[in-house]
Amino acid sequence: MQYGIIGASYQQGTLAVFHAGIDEEPLPDLLSATQKALRLLVSELAVSDLQDIHQLHDAIVDFLQNGSTDVQALDDATDDTLTFGEFGDDHFVFNVMDATEQFQLHIEVTPIGGPHGA
């Protein structure tokens, strides 16, 4: 099964949409897609100057230092600024929103091609 990532961020009044593995070469497996999603999550959080987003960024970086890609454990290790949702064993989403709703982020990992994807 191959995977793609679709994301959107809203900060400082600007909406940005991004993707990986959709137009270019698909991500070959769930592990690769999860690793890419985590890198995108960290990089999107890094550009915010909001205190709670900065704290979330630091918590995620600390969590990832051990090399884990367990997204459920990451959700458990962070506060409510980050939420994790599953649509199936191989389809999930990260959502981030600060307390003031000035920063919002959505990163979704989805199967593409094959029996589950488009």
Side-chain angles (χ1 to χ4, degrees), residues 5 32-42 92 94 107 109:
I5 298 172
S32 298
T34 301
Q35 291 170 333
K36 179 69 173 179
L38 290 168
R39 286 192 302 272
L40 287 168
L41 178 63
V42 169
F92 64 86
F94 291 115
I107 298 176
V109 172

Side-chain angles (χ1 to χ4, degrees), residues 25-36:
E25 185 174 322
L27 299 161
D29 53 46
L30 185 57
L31 178 60
S32 298
T34 301
Q35 291 170 333
K36 179 69 173 179

Side-chain angles (χ1 to χ4, degrees), residues 44-56:
E44 287 291 321
L45 296 176
V47 299
S48 176
D49 59 357
L50 297 170
Q51 184 62 30
D52 51 350
I53 299 301
H54 182 71
Q55 289 172 342
L56 177 62

Side-chain angles (χ1 to χ4, degrees), residues 8-110:
S9 66
Y10 175 80
Q11 57 186 320
Q12 300 176 345
T14 302
L15 176 66
V17 178
F18 54 90
H19 59 85
I22 304 294
D23 290 339
E24 68 274 6
E25 185 174 322
L27 299 161
D29 53 46
L30 185 57
L31 178 60
S32 298
T34 301
Q35 291 170 333
K36 179 69 173 179
L38 290 168
R39 286 192 302 272
L40 287 168
L41 178 63
V42 169
S43 66
E44 287 291 321
L45 296 176
V47 299
S48 176
D49 59 357
L50 297 170
Q51 184 62 30
D52 51 350
I53 299 301
H54 182 71
Q55 289 172 342
L56 177 62
H57 171 271
D58 291 349
I60 292 171
V61 168
D62 289 345
F63 177 86
L64 295 175
Q65 291 298 318
N66 68 11
S68 176
T69 58
D70 183 343
V71 290
Q72 185 61 58
L74 174 62
D75 183 40
D76 294 342
T78 57
D79 63 22
D80 290 339
T81 306
L82 171 78
T83 58
F84 167 75
E86 291 181 282
F87 303 111
D89 292 339
D90 60 354
H91 185 183
F92 64 86
V93 63
F94 291 115
N95 287 299
V96 176
M97 185 169 19
D98 75 304
T100 65
E101 299 183 13
Q102 293 179 44
F103 181 96
Q104 298 177 42
L105 175 63
H106 173 95
I107 298 176
E108 185 171 343
V109 172
T110 184

